[in-house]
């Protein structure tokens, strides 16, 4: 399964511990990686994806100059559906068009998500796109769905348990903090 690494507010984004977690993720999950940074001062979210080498991802993340109050999510992929290409790397943007959802570099005004697991309900093995793409485009990008998540995470999980199952999902929102669904393990304040 894929791997999500989160550096929430209050953690150093350039710590050796976090960098080693990223490197470790690449060892077992080498089919495309990406990251998102949410800058606390501006609320802007920057994404970059399409990495097959941990040192390139780390160097790119270093150039983003994330500070202690910013939030970072990194995703290392194992492909269960969809092609092994940059378009299927995470994070995905919760936008309204195909082009917005698969954007591979730059700032976005929309929330983003990364995912660990398989959204069986959204798996189309004949599609070039992954279950996470289909989940994002067909479900998570719906404003009313996002509204419920932002209002009450427990209600979201109850109402949409048939969509989520035992998957792990991390959301970065421009207007609020990091939101996680599922059982994340915390070590030295990183998830």
């Amino acid at each position: 399964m894929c791997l999500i690494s989160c550096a929430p507010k209050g953690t150093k984004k350039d710590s050796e511990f976090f960098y080693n977690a990223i490197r470790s993720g690449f060892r077992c999950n080498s089919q495309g990686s990406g990251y998102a940074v949410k800058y606390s001062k501006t609320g802007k979210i920057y994404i970059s994806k399409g990495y097959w080498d941990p040192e390139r991802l780390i160097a790119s993340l270093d150039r983003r100059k994330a500070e202690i109050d910013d939030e970072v999510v990194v995703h290392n992929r194992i492909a269960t559906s969809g092609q092994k290409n940059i378009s299927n790397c995470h994070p995905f943007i919760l936008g309204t068009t195909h082009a917005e959802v698969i954007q591979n570099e730059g700032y976005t005004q929309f929330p983003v998500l990364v995912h660990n697991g398989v959204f069986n309900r959204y798996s189309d093995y004949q599609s070039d796109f992954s279950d996470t793409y289909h989940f994002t485009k067909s479900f998570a990008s719906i404003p009313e769905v996002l509204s419920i998540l932002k209002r009450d995470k427990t209600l979201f999980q109850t109402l949409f348990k048939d969509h989520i199952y035992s998957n792990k999902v991390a959301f970065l929102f421009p207007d609020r903090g990091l939101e996680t669904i599922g059982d994340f393990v915390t070590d030295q304040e990183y998830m």
Side-chain angles (χ1 to χ4, degrees):
M1 274 199 203
C2 300
L3 179 68
I4 300 169
S5 302
C6 301
K9 281 186 178 187
T11 59
K12 285 184 64 181
K13 309 312 180 264
D14 61 352
S15 75
E16 253 334 280
F17 181 83
F18 189 53
Y19 286 169
N20 284 334
I22 293 169
R23 289 179 184 109
S24 191
F26 268 88
R27 280 196 284 279
C28 298
N29 303 60
S30 60
Q31 295 175 331
S33 295
Y35 68 86
V37 177
K38 191 252 183 132
Y39 295 97
S40 65
K41 290 179 184 167
T42 63
K44 290 184 176 182
I45 297 175
Y46 183 87
I47 70 156
S48 183
K49 60 187 189 176
Y51 295 94
W52 282 263
D53 175 284
E55 300 312 317
R56 287 192 59 237
L57 186 146
I58 290 168
S60 177
L61 186 56
D62 271 348
R63 289 191 296 277
R64 302 284 15 122
K65 305 286 187 214
E67 297 179 359
I68 197 121
D69 285 335
D70 299 331
E71 297 167 305
V72 174
V73 295
V74 176
H75 184 272
N76 303 102
R77 181 174 188 236
I78 288 184
T80 55
S81 64
Q83 294 183 356
K84 298 172 189 171
N85 60 21
I86 194 169
S87 294
N88 282 310
C89 291
H90 303 208
F92 285 100
I93 296 173
L94 282 73
T96 57
T97 68
H98 169 76
E100 288 169 341
V101 172
I102 65 166
Q103 178 182 325
N104 62 22
E105 186 85 25
Y107 287 97
T108 179
Q109 64 187 9
F110 298 107
V112 302
L113 70 78
V114 295
H115 163 238
N116 168 303
V118 177
F119 290 122
N120 291 319
R121 183 181 199 136
Y122 296 92
S123 294
D124 178 355
Y125 297 103
Q126 305 305 312
S127 175
D128 289 343
F129 294 96
S130 71
D131 57 301
T132 307
Y133 165 84
H134 290 292
F135 172 82
T136 303
K137 181 79 173 79
S138 303
F139 178 73
S141 292
I142 298 170
E144 293 81 5
V145 170
L146 279 178
S147 174
I148 294 169
L149 174 60
K150 290 169 85 171
R151 188 179 62 215
D152 186 335
K153 181 170 87 169
T154 302
L155 177 62
F156 177 88
Q157 290 174 291
T158 301
L159 290 174
F160 301 120
K161 66 183 175 200
D162 290 342
H163 295 264
I164 303 296
Y165 298 103
S166 61
N167 289 284
K168 294 176 185 69
V169 187
F171 295 88
L172 281 180
F173 291 93
D175 58 345
R176 61 184 297 131
L178 171 68
E179 201 63 76
T180 59
I181 305 274
D183 296 325
F184 281 75
V185 175
T186 301
D187 191 351
Q188 297 186 30
E189 299 183 28
Y190 298 91
M191 295 185 279

